[in-house]
Amino acid sequence: MNKELNNYKNEQQNLIITTDRKNKESWFGRLFLLNIYSLIENAQSHQLNEEELEEYFIQQSSQSLHEQFSEFQQQNLRSSLTIQLLKFFVKRFLKIYFIQIIQLCSQLLMPLIIHYVLIYVSNEEKTKSDGIILISIIFAVRIIGILSQSHSKLMLILAGQDAMAIVSMQIMNKCLKLSTLSNTQRTIGEITNLIQVDAQKMVYASNNLLNISIIPIQTLITLIYIYREIGVTVFVGITIIVLTLIANHFLGKQLLLSQKAVLKSKDDRIKQTNEVFQQIKFIKINAYESIFQNKIEQLREAERICIKKRLDHFSFNVFFGWLSPQLILSLSFGVYVYLGNELTPSKVFPIISLLLMLASNLQILPISYNSLQEALLSLKRVSTFLETDEIMNKCIEQLDYRDTNIAIKIEQGNFNWNRNQIEKESSPILKNISLIIQPSQFISLIGDIGSGKSSLIQALIGEMVYKEGHQQPHVQIYGDIAYVGQKAWIQNGSVKDNILFGKEFHQISYENAIYYSCLNQDLEILIDGDSTIIGEKGINLSGGQKARISLARAIYSDASIYLLDDPLSAVDIHVANFIMKECFLKYLKDKTRMLCTHALSYCQFTDKIYLIQNGEIIDQGNYQYMKQNQKFLEIEQKFKTETEELIENDLQKNQIQNDMLYMNTSSATKKQKEFKDKEELILKEDRQSGDIDISVYQKYFLYNGGCINYMFLFIVMIMWIIVQLFSNLWIAHWSEDLYYLDYNQKTYMIVYLCLGISQAILAYGRAASIANSSVKSTTIIHNQIIKCLLNAPQCEFFERVPTGRIMNRLTKDINSLDIEINMNLSFVSTKISQIVSSTIIGLIATTKLIIIPLLFFFYLSIKIQRIYMKASRELQRLELISKSPILSYFVESLQGLSTIRAFQKSLLFLSNFSQKLDRNRQIIFISNHASCWFNQILGFLSLIVNMFAIIYCILFSDNAPFAGLILTYVSNLDINTQQMIDTLGLIENNMISFERCLDFTKVPQEKQNQNQPPQNWPIYGKIEFKDLSVRYRPNLPFALKEFSYIINQNEKIGIVGRTGAGKSTITLSLIRILEAYEGQILIDDIDISQISLQKLRSSITSIQQDAVIFHGTIRQNLDPLGQCHDDDITKVLYDCCLEKLLNERNGLDTMINESGDNLSAGEKQLICIARAILKKAKIILIDEATANIDLETEEKIQKAIAIAFRDCTVITIAHRINTIMKCDKILVIDNGILIEQGVTKDLLNNKSSVFYNIYQEVMNGQKSII
């Protein structure tokens, strides 16, 4: 452990890519950001790939930042997370602040220069040398402004990325200390939202923070300058600014409340969406698509309303942002003239120039303030999460196992599942546990469902909670732990990676792990052997294979203590016998082993047995001693009776070789190998190349309201341009009419004020129109995605596409369409209006020759933008793709926390998460580097127009008012154009999110057929398979070949065969999860391929091996459609032995955690059985429904199932032979072929039958352990 810890620290303390490249660059290249150009040039000739990006990354790793921040936190424990982050970044902010001050000075010098230029223009004795000096000063100031702006922006984004990385790592690190079993305060969906949404708020928080700190300084300097020009009249403007700030403050409060509502509604939607796609197979099997589609769409509608309200507040901010400077100008000039002062161009236009900057600030300030409030709100949410209760493992001492005669010791063992139970002083789940286990002992834990067997193992790995104090438990563990959970946790990766689990590869140890977990046969069957990629949650493996890979992981770890939570229930009896005798009793004989089991026959091999009832150890001793316990004898006798009933008809005891059960494996393997290189399991994420297709824009145009909406927006923009143009010309005329020969002072002021108010109203209309249409369009595309995904095929899509990839589209991309594209569209529409207005002013106020540099500037800008966008698009696509692995890995880690912590792999998973996060940060950094380079180039290009206008004013113009207009508005034309082109690039990048969402509306769909069978179909439940051939995907071999068989009404059929033989394929074909490639299936003489999927699946009940439980009440889990009466639900629960769960909790309103984490595995299976009974279908499919149930409960359940399904056709897939012995007929499947079928008794009496041989082997195995 220490060695691994040191390795991680040594690796992660280094930078991902060193700064050597940066040091080698010349100062000129760094100043003008030239190092990014080679990448932009590469993007012109080919699609960029991740390997090309490596050399450009100069940041610290997320792991390194996390460690530095964690050390810093220890020195500032009393501070909040927000204050800690501010203090951590304060030195970097001061550097950026210094550069921003330089940029601020360059901006504030321009009005002063305008003042002197206008004096120069009005002076009849001016000299050209003075003019050239003015031109040179303006040129130098603009160059300094361009350089300082690009570098400060890049540094700000880099700081924001680092803050995001720190927050993300803090969340991941916290998750690794949480227990999803004992901590119900957060669901996986909510925690995912913290990573996807809240952590991302940090990226631009630094920019908003700097705006808020810089803008007041800029405003103060502006007001001082205005005071210098117009004296006390400036207080009119100050009054308006204060009133505006007050209005914005109240708006900000409302916006913050609406943002809280947005985040809450987003949490709800993501939580539900994540749960749906985690359990998509169950939803499809039960035809619940429409139910969950409606749930998600309702949550999205609630979210849309909240977002709309938030954007309405933003539109009001826009209104006040445009209104306040117009009020300041008109009222200040009006009062100034009213007091008897003369309004001259040299006073008017410098003030207008300053107020234009002030207007921009007043527009940016509320946006920055609100964005910062959102970031602070997100930080508060993260901080609240970071304060969530962690696992309570202080009572556990991990000690050196050498030179001791104790392996595990528990004293005063009182444990609960959550702190609420402790606070309510509820009775503990585990009570007064006291035990001492010696090294190398083999211990078994037995008891009924919910007795506390698994809870004891969870307590040993620190997953349970306890009451602190002098009576708290004391647990001593001597050595390291290997843990095999009741539900196998499998990572999305190769079989080999799952077994190694971060340890170095050792050939002999690896081969032993494979052999003693019985995986050799499976590796031969799997297409790529141990290199075969396993889908999410082991979706392409059987339950037995997952259990054995989990066991192999434990064996390979070579730990000193093995905690085995019922791993044998998921495997066949002969495999279980081998694992018990060869692995547990021989290979691991020198290890301490604790086995939780329902199979009491295995207890005879253990050194000591603990009998647990209601959370207490009621008896303990060796096998001979425990045989005197009445409870133990009752359970054991049931097992013996069942076995003896099966071993009849004078069956011979001759040993049958394993190859009878795994017959034709070699042929199956050979067949699989033929398809080895044709197809990978996990599909690569879609990545378009080149320009975004015009059809994507057309779709977005259509979803945004089409021609009507854009016509309204166009009219509003035209009106705004006219009003602004008239306003600018009006103020020029006012300053020129010194003696009020044309209009009086009141008229000038009122007209100018009305024009300003009109601008503000039109700006509000523009923002509101865009906001309303964009959020509606996002809802349309979201709902289309949900509908298409819910109808996508299970095997061809969901088994090949990670859930993280799906959730990335429904979080990051949807959020981009909700907020980012709306803001960018609003901004770019403003800039277009300003550019058109400024261009017209330029044409009016200067020579018509200005059109030449204007056209030249527009041409070069568009040309360079095309060059830049080729790289930007590819980087944006790579960035969005790099998000999916982060989310997938994060969610996967949350699902396996118990295993990760038991194996002490938290550091490994934190390190792996850091690497995936860094890949994403790398691409974002390069993308922003390219963006800053582009802005810099545009800034330099814009000097062409800017300097042309300035030179014309200084050297050729004698009209001061028009010169003022040119310097004030036309000189800003380049900035507006630069911002417009930059924002158009951002919109194009936002459209990539829409493009990605649109791709998910084109995923392949299940074959739908709207034909409806008779109303009460199926009446009889007769099933006929006609030459049925099925494959999982087009490029894979047939899983079922020319299968023909008739199942008559109410028959009970048992299906047996090796792993991968095709047993589950039959049931999946019946519910059309798999479509027939050839042949057909008839139910009551109706071809199921010709009827609606919804009707077919809702008419069949399927009980799966993996229990599926949703977050909600017991009632909602048992009756998702809300069709059953409470009395019926309660009766079924009692029939399924769940009366204790009902009585000890809150009845049918008992809340079940996400994935049923507050239930035992047995209780979850019983709920699934109860749900199946309530459905009352005519055809029942059972896939090992009682694997995690004790024998006594299983006997009751089997009786309940027999009664409930008496008049049903039942198909049972056998994993344990006793589950099918009472079936009417048996089908034996091998390599997708029906090799034997017949009446159960007839096959047993025929000693040459395959089933007889399989049965005989199992019985011999069972007899050998009785």
Side-chain angles (χ1 to χ4, degrees):
M1 174 65 186
N2 290 332
K3 183 180 178 181
E4 289 179 351
L5 176 60
N6 290 332
N7 287 339
Y8 297 147
K9 285 191 174 181
N10 290 337
E11 290 172 7
Q12 295 303 323
Q13 285 292 350
N14 297 326
L15 299 180
I16 292 178
I17 299 296
T18 64
T19 56
D20 288 346
R21 174 184 171 89
K22 185 177 178 181
N23 294 331
K24 290 177 183 177
E25 288 174 0
S26 66
W27 66 268
F28 186 82
R30 274 182 276 167
L31 183 64
F32 294 99
L33 305 175
L34 297 178
N35 60 319
I36 199 69
Y37 182 72
S38 58
L39 185 74
I40 294 171
E41 193 175 33
N42 290 343
Q44 310 309 307
S45 57
H46 62 270
Q47 191 179 53
L48 293 178
N49 55 65
E50 291 187 359
E51 288 72 23
E52 292 179 82
L53 311 183
E54 293 289 346
E55 60 179 314
Y56 295 95
F57 192 39
I58 56 173
Q59 286 179 280
Q60 283 181 294
S61 70
S62 299
Q63 181 81 5
S64 177
L65 284 166
H66 169 65
E67 289 171 2
Q68 290 175 24
F69 184 72
S70 296
E71 289 178 14
F72 183 81
Q73 275 186 309
Q74 295 303 312
Q75 302 165 14
N76 296 270
L77 291 174
R78 294 184 179 180
S79 303
S80 66
L81 178 63
T82 304
I83 300 300
Q84 288 171 346
L85 282 168
L86 284 173
K87 287 182 178 179
F88 186 75
F89 284 101
V90 67
K91 289 183 180 178
R92 290 175 68 174
F93 280 148
L94 287 175
K95 288 180 184 177
I96 300 168
Y97 205 79
F98 175 73
I99 298 174
Q100 284 275 33
I101 292 294
I102 294 174
Q103 183 193 351
L104 176 61
C105 291
S106 71
Q107 287 180 330
L108 292 174
L109 279 172
M110 285 308 296
L112 192 62
I113 293 170
I114 289 173
H115 174 77
Y116 286 111
V117 168
L118 293 177
I119 291 174
Y120 173 82
V121 170
S122 303
N123 187 2
E124 294 180 359
E125 299 178 359
K126 57 190 175 187
T127 63
K128 285 193 176 183
S129 59
D130 291 338
I132 291 170
I133 291 171
L134 281 172
I135 292 169
S136 301
I137 292 171
I138 293 170
F139 183 80
V141 167
R142 286 300 309 275
I143 289 289
I144 291 169
I146 291 166
L147 291 174
S148 58
Q149 182 185 27
S150 60
H151 281 276
S152 63
K153 179 183 175 183
L154 187 59
M155 292 171 70
L156 276 169
I157 290 170
L158 185 57
Q161 281 293 315
D162 287 352
M164 182 273 292
I166 288 172
V167 171
S168 298
M169 291 294 287
Q170 288 274 304
I171 294 169
M172 180 63 175
N173 187 52
K174 180 69 177 184
C175 287
L176 293 168
K177 298 175 183 177
L178 286 179
S179 173
T180 54
L181 301 177
S182 62
N183 192 322
T184 60
Q185 299 173 42
R186 299 277 181 168
T187 65
I188 290 177
E190 289 173 328
I191 299 171
T192 301
N193 209 21
L194 292 176
I195 284 280
Q196 279 290 84
V197 178
D198 294 284
Q200 296 301 315
K201 297 285 184 185
M202 301 305 105
V203 176
Y204 296 106
S206 55
N207 186 44
N208 294 321
L209 181 63
L210 217 63
N211 280 341
I212 288 172
S213 60
I214 286 283
I215 286 173
I217 297 172
Q218 189 173 358
T219 303
L220 180 63
I221 295 172
T222 299
L223 292 173
I224 291 171
Y225 181 86
I226 294 173
Y227 175 78
R228 177 174 164 272
E229 291 294 320
I230 60 175
V232 293
T233 310
V234 75
F235 289 104
V236 176
I238 292 172
T239 303
I240 295 169
I241 289 172
V242 170
L243 292 173
T244 302
L245 290 175
I246 292 170
N248 280 329
H249 174 71
F250 285 109
L251 269 176
K253 279 189 173 181
Q254 293 301 312
L255 205 148
L256 187 60
L257 290 173
S258 63
Q259 178 63 12
K260 286 181 180 179
V262 168
L263 291 173
K264 175 67 172 63
S265 61
K266 200 178 288 291
D267 277 347
D268 293 340
R269 176 179 65 84
I270 291 173
K271 178 174 68 177
Q272 179 70 74
T273 306
N274 181 64
E275 192 172 39
V276 165
F277 290 113
Q278 290 286 346
Q279 311 294 359
I280 187 64
K281 186 175 181 181
F282 168 83
I283 290 170
K284 285 185 167 297
I285 286 171
N286 289 278
Y288 289 156
E289 292 96 333
S290 59
I291 298 169
F292 285 98
Q293 181 182 337
N294 289 335
K295 282 186 177 181
I296 294 173
E297 287 182 358
Q298 287 170 11
L299 291 169
R300 171 60 199 178
E301 179 59 21
E303 183 185 11
R304 186 195 69 80
I305 291 169
C306 293
I307 293 171
K308 175 63 171 59
K309 190 174 180 181
R310 178 185 179 278
L311 292 176
D312 284 343
H313 291 141
F314 169 75
S315 298
F316 277 111
N317 273 334
V318 171
F319 172 77
F320 284 113
W322 280 104
L323 180 63
S324 54
Q326 298 299 325
L327 289 176
I328 292 169
L329 274 173
S330 56
L331 294 179
S332 295
F333 288 157
V335 172
Y336 181 73
V337 174
Y338 179 77
L339 292 176
N341 297 300
E342 188 177 289
L343 202 62
T344 63
S346 62
K347 287 188 180 294
V348 169
F349 289 105
I351 291 173
I352 290 176
S353 179
L354 283 167
L355 286 176
L356 283 174
M357 280 192 289
L358 187 61
S360 177
N361 290 340
L362 290 173
Q363 290 163 17
I364 291 171
L365 187 60
I367 295 171
S368 295
Y369 176 75
N370 292 326
S371 296
L372 190 61
Q373 285 291 321
E374 290 175 16
L376 291 173
L377 177 60
S378 289
L379 272 177
K380 187 176 180 181
R381 280 160 51 88
V382 171
S383 185
T384 302
F385 171 71
L386 295 178
E387 292 167 4
T388 304
D389 298 328
E390 297 180 359
I391 54 173
M392 295 181 71
N393 58 2
K394 292 180 182 178
C395 70
I396 301 174
E397 288 185 86
Q398 198 105 19
L399 304 168
D400 193 341
Y401 67 93
R402 289 167 290 192
D403 303 323
T404 181
N405 60 351
I406 298 176
I408 300 173
K409 182 179 180 180
I410 303 178
E411 295 176 330
Q412 300 180 165
N414 295 294
F415 293 93
N416 287 80
W417 270 122
N418 59 68
R419 286 172 170 81
N420 290 335
Q421 294 172 335
I422 296 174
E423 291 169 2
K424 294 177 182 177
E425 297 187 351
S426 304
S427 177
I429 301 298
L430 293 177
K431 312 177 189 75
N432 304 316
I433 301 296
S434 180
L435 58 81
I436 296 177
I437 300 172
Q438 296 173 351
S440 305
Q441 269 195 320
F442 191 4
I443 303 301
S444 57
L445 305 176
I446 62 170
D448 296 333
I449 287 178
S451 60
K453 305 181 299 299
S454 296
S455 297
L456 180 54
I457 289 180
Q458 293 298 320
L460 286 173
I461 60 177
E463 296 297 320
M464 297 192 75
V465 299
Y466 53 85
K467 187 174 183 179
E468 294 179 300
H470 67 280
Q471 293 185 340
Q472 75 178 36
H474 185 208
V475 181
Q476 291 178 323
I477 296 175
Y478 293 84
D480 51 347
I481 289 174
Y483 167 66
V484 181
Q486 197 170 31
K487 183 178 180 182
W489 176 68
I490 304 295
Q491 287 184 272
N492 179 203
S494 70
V495 174
K496 186 175 182 178
D497 289 340
N498 269 276
I499 295 171
L500 297 183
F501 205 45
K503 286 180 69 72
E504 291 182 6
F505 177 75
H506 295 288
Q507 185 70 37
I508 295 175
S509 299
Y510 183 72
E511 289 175 358
N512 286 336
I514 296 292
Y515 175 74
Y516 288 109
S517 58
C518 294
L519 279 172
N520 283 318
Q521 295 279 1
D522 299 277
L523 295 184
E524 289 182 13
I525 293 170
L526 294 173
I527 291 178
D528 284 322
D530 65 356
S531 297
T532 299
I533 298 298
I534 303 172
E536 273 192 326
K537 297 190 290 186
I539 198 165
N540 53 328
L541 300 177
S542 69
Q545 287 171 327
K546 286 188 279 188
R548 282 180 280 125
I549 288 174
S550 182
L551 178 61
R553 176 197 297 147
I555 295 170
Y556 187 79
S557 72
D558 193 30
S560 55
I561 298 172
Y562 284 74
L563 303 179
L564 309 164
D565 194 354
D566 203 16
L568 302 180
S569 64
V571 300
D572 298 330
I573 186 68
H574 69 285
V575 176
N577 286 344
F578 178 86
I579 291 172
M580 171 58 72
K581 294 178 179 179
E582 299 299 324
C583 180
F584 295 166
L585 295 177
K586 292 182 181 179
Y587 185 68
L588 299 178
K589 67 181 186 323
D590 296 327
K591 309 292 185 180
T592 306
R593 293 139 292 162
M594 179 180 283
L595 174 67
C596 170
T597 182
H598 293 295
L600 271 61
S601 53
Y602 294 124
C603 294
Q604 62 183 299
F605 302 116
T606 61
D607 301 315
K608 197 170 186 178
I609 303 166
Y610 288 89
L611 177 58
I612 302 176
Q613 186 172 321
N614 294 324
E616 293 185 271
I617 298 174
I618 62 172
D619 207 352
Q620 57 182 289
N622 59 27
Y623 184 70
Q624 294 303 319
Y625 169 80
M626 291 300 292
K627 287 179 74 174
Q628 301 173 28
N629 183 288
Q630 188 62 34
K631 177 74 174 176
F632 183 87
L633 284 175
E634 287 175 9
I635 301 173
E636 185 184 43
Q637 187 59 39
K638 284 174 186 171
F639 178 79
K640 282 188 175 182
T641 303
E642 283 186 11
T643 305
E644 287 166 0
E645 287 176 359
L646 297 174
I647 307 172
E648 56 185 16
N649 300 323
D650 299 321
L651 295 175
Q652 301 300 315
K653 296 183 180 180
N654 49 320
Q655 183 67 30
I656 307 299
Q657 300 299 321
N658 282 348
D659 58 358
M660 292 302 295
L661 184 62
Y662 289 92
M663 61 193 312
N664 295 329
T665 297
S666 60
S667 64
T669 304
K670 182 179 178 182
K671 194 73 174 175
Q672 292 271 24
K673 298 292 184 183
E674 293 175 7
F675 290 81
K676 179 173 179 179
D677 297 322
K678 292 190 177 180
E679 187 176 53
E680 292 182 3
L681 174 66
I682 304 300
L683 292 171
K684 289 185 177 179
E685 187 159 6
D686 294 335
R687 180 186 169 191
Q688 305 293 338
S689 60
D691 292 343
I692 298 173
D693 193 89
I694 190 65
S695 62
V696 175
Y697 290 102
Q698 289 172 344
K699 277 282 186 184
Y700 189 78
F701 177 82
L702 183 65
Y703 290 169
N704 264 276
C707 294
I708 295 175
N709 180 67
Y710 282 97
M711 185 60 70
F712 172 77
L713 182 61
F714 179 73
I715 292 170
V716 169
M717 288 176 65
I718 292 296
M719 291 174 65
W720 189 92
I721 290 167
I722 293 170
V723 170
Q724 193 196 41
L725 184 63
F726 190 51
S727 176
N728 293 332
L729 294 174
W730 185 259
I731 191 68
H733 185 62
W734 186 2
S735 66
E736 191 178 27
D737 190 8
L738 298 178
Y739 304 105
Y740 298 104
L741 300 176
D742 297 332
Y743 305 100
N744 60 36
Q745 172 198 331
K746 186 177 179 181
T747 302
Y748 277 118
M749 187 180 74
I750 291 174
V751 171
Y752 192 67
L753 180 62
C754 291
L755 290 170
I757 294 171
S758 300
Q759 276 190 74
I761 292 171
L762 290 169
Y764 169 81
R766 181 179 59 215
S769 171
I770 292 170
N772 188 52
S773 59
S774 67
V775 76
K776 277 185 179 178
S777 68
T778 308
T779 300
I780 292 170
I781 191 71
H782 171 273
N783 292 345
Q784 284 189 357
I785 291 172
I786 295 298
K787 182 179 179 181
C788 291
L789 287 177
L790 287 172
N791 290 293
Q794 176 69 27
C795 297
E796 290 185 32
F797 184 80
F798 286 106
E799 291 186 6
R800 308 185 69 194
V801 176
T803 308
R805 190 180 301 173
I806 295 171
M807 293 306 298
N808 192 29
R809 307 277 171 118
L810 293 169
T811 51
K812 169 70 176 174
D813 289 314
I814 289 295
N815 189 61
S816 176
L817 297 178
D818 269 334
I819 304 297
E820 291 175 22
I821 198 168
N822 169 74
M823 298 293 186
N824 290 331
L825 282 171
S826 183
F827 187 77
V828 84
S829 63
T830 302
K831 292 304 168 186
I832 289 171
S833 302
Q834 288 178 322
I835 288 167
V836 172
S837 177
S838 297
T839 303
I840 295 172
I841 288 172
L843 291 171
I844 293 172
T846 67
T847 172
K848 302 300 180 287
L849 293 175
I850 198 173
I851 199 69
I852 297 172
L854 272 175
L855 291 175
F856 184 64
F857 169 61
F858 289 143
Y859 170 77
L860 284 181
S861 297
I862 292 169
K863 188 78 174 175
I864 292 172
Q865 196 250 7
R866 290 293 89 198
I867 293 170
Y868 159 72
M869 280 309 301
K870 278 192 176 181
S872 181
R873 274 193 306 269
E874 297 306 312
L875 290 168
Q876 179 72 3
R877 285 167 176 148
L878 284 171
E879 189 269 319
L880 291 170
I881 288 172
S882 68
K883 275 281 181 188
S884 299
I886 298 172
L887 196 55
S888 294
Y889 193 79
F890 182 71
V891 172
E892 185 178 70
S893 300
L894 288 177
Q895 293 166 343
L897 287 174
S898 298
T899 302
I900 293 167
R901 283 194 290 263
F903 282 90
Q904 297 184 340
K905 295 295 182 183
S906 294
L907 279 173
L908 172 66
F909 275 76
L910 191 63
S911 174
N912 290 344
F913 179 77
S914 168
Q915 290 172 15
K916 294 180 188 299
L917 191 62
D918 287 333
R919 176 59 62 190
N920 177 253
R921 289 172 61 217
Q922 175 192 35
I923 299 169
I924 294 174
F925 171 74
I926 296 169
S927 180
N928 282 290
H929 196 164
S931 174
C932 290
W933 170 85
F934 174 58
N935 286 335
Q936 202 178 79
I937 294 296
L938 281 183
F940 293 141
L941 277 177
S942 68
L943 282 176
I944 298 170
V945 179
N946 202 294
M947 295 311 297
F948 185 93
I950 290 167
I951 289 168
Y952 177 83
C953 288
I954 292 174
L955 300 181
F956 302 106
S957 177
D958 294 320
N959 189 323
F962 275 6
L965 274 177
I966 293 169
L967 292 171
T968 304
Y969 292 101
V970 179
S971 63
N972 284 326
L973 178 63
D974 57 333
I975 298 172
N976 290 331
T977 305
Q978 173 189 334
Q979 291 175 342
M980 180 199 72
I981 292 174
D982 189 30
T983 310
L984 283 173
L986 292 176
I987 290 172
E988 191 165 352
N989 286 339
N990 293 145
M991 288 303 296
I992 291 172
S993 288
F994 184 76
E995 176 187 60
R996 283 161 52 82
C997 289
L998 208 57
D999 286 341
F1000 262 34
T1001 66
K1002 301 172 185 176
V1003 297
Q1005 299 288 282
E1006 292 180 301
K1007 294 179 181 177
Q1008 300 288 342
N1009 197 315
Q1010 299 306 316
N1011 295 333
Q1012 295 294 327
Q1015 187 174 1
N1016 295 323
W1017 179 91
I1019 298 172
Y1020 308 106
K1022 177 188 174 184
I1023 305 171
E1024 183 177 358
F1025 298 90
K1026 287 187 174 181
D1027 298 321
L1028 182 67
S1029 294
V1030 176
R1031 54 175 35 144
Y1032 277 76
R1033 291 188 294 278
N1035 293 330
L1036 292 182
F1038 284 106
L1040 208 58
K1041 306 166 191 173
E1042 299 179 355
F1043 177 74
S1044 295
Y1045 189 75
I1046 296 175
I1047 302 174
N1048 294 312
Q1049 177 182 353
N1050 299 340
E1051 274 191 330
K1052 310 298 182 282
I1053 303 297
I1055 303 177
V1056 296
R1058 63 172 177 79
T1059 298
K1063 305 186 298 293
S1064 297
T1065 306
I1066 294 173
T1067 58
L1068 292 176
S1069 299
L1070 264 172
I1071 48 182
R1072 285 176 57 194
I1073 293 294
L1074 293 174
E1075 293 285 356
Y1077 186 78
E1078 293 175 353
Q1080 57 183 176
I1081 303 174
L1082 306 179
I1083 295 180
D1084 286 359
D1085 299 323
I1086 293 179
D1087 187 347
I1088 64 170
S1089 67
Q1090 301 303 312
I1091 62 173
S1092 101
L1093 270 177
Q1094 198 279 332
K1095 177 61 179 175
L1096 171 68
R1097 291 172 181 171
S1098 61
S1099 303
I1100 297 174
T1101 290
S1102 179
I1103 307 175
Q1104 297 296 303
Q1105 189 175 9
D1106 293 329
V1108 175
I1109 304 293
F1110 288 92
H1111 177 68
T1113 63
I1114 290 179
R1115 182 188 290 105
Q1116 291 167 339
N1117 268 276
L1118 264 66
D1119 183 26
L1121 299 177
Q1123 296 176 341
C1124 299
H1125 194 274
D1126 282 1
D1127 292 341
D1128 296 330
I1129 299 174
T1130 303
K1131 181 181 181 303
V1132 169
L1133 286 170
Y1134 272 76
D1135 290 342
C1136 292
C1137 307
L1138 285 166
E1139 63 274 11
K1140 181 180 175 183
L1141 180 64
L1142 280 181
N1143 297 333
E1144 292 185 358
R1145 303 201 192 182
N1146 196 25
L1148 294 179
D1149 293 320
T1150 298
M1151 286 300 298
I1152 300 176
N1153 294 350
E1154 194 173 17
S1155 302
D1157 285 338
N1158 57 338
L1159 302 175
S1160 70
E1163 287 171 331
K1164 287 189 276 189
Q1165 279 194 325
L1166 292 177
I1167 286 177
C1168 292
I1169 292 169
R1171 181 166 53 207
I1173 293 172
L1174 270 175
K1175 193 174 178 182
K1176 297 179 181 178
K1178 187 65 180 175
I1179 297 173
I1180 314 296
L1181 311 177
I1182 302 176
D1183 188 355
E1184 192 56 81
T1186 57
N1188 294 311
I1189 298 174
D1190 61 81
L1191 292 172
E1192 183 179 359
T1193 306
E1194 181 177 4
E1195 185 182 28
K1196 294 178 183 177
I1197 290 299
Q1198 293 293 359
K1199 287 180 181 177
I1201 287 176
I1203 294 170
F1205 300 152
R1206 180 178 50 212
D1207 298 324
C1208 302
T1209 302
V1210 181
I1211 299 175
T1212 304
I1213 295 176
H1215 295 271
R1216 297 187 294 177
I1217 200 75
N1218 63 308
T1219 60
I1220 61 166
M1221 293 311 297
K1222 294 182 181 179
C1223 290
D1224 302 322
K1225 293 179 181 178
I1226 300 294
L1227 306 183
V1228 182
I1229 307 293
D1230 185 73
N1231 197 24
I1233 299 171
L1234 177 62
I1235 60 172
E1236 188 173 83
Q1237 56 87 16
V1239 177
T1240 307
K1241 289 183 179 180
D1242 293 344
L1243 293 176
L1244 288 174
N1245 288 326
N1246 180 4
K1247 295 182 181 180
S1248 63
S1249 72
V1250 175
F1251 180 66
Y1252 172 85
N1253 291 325
I1254 296 173
Y1255 173 76
Q1256 180 68 15
E1257 179 189 358
V1258 173
M1259 291 304 101
N1260 285 335
Q1262 287 187 345
K1263 287 175 67 180
S1264 70
I1265 60 174
I1266 294 177

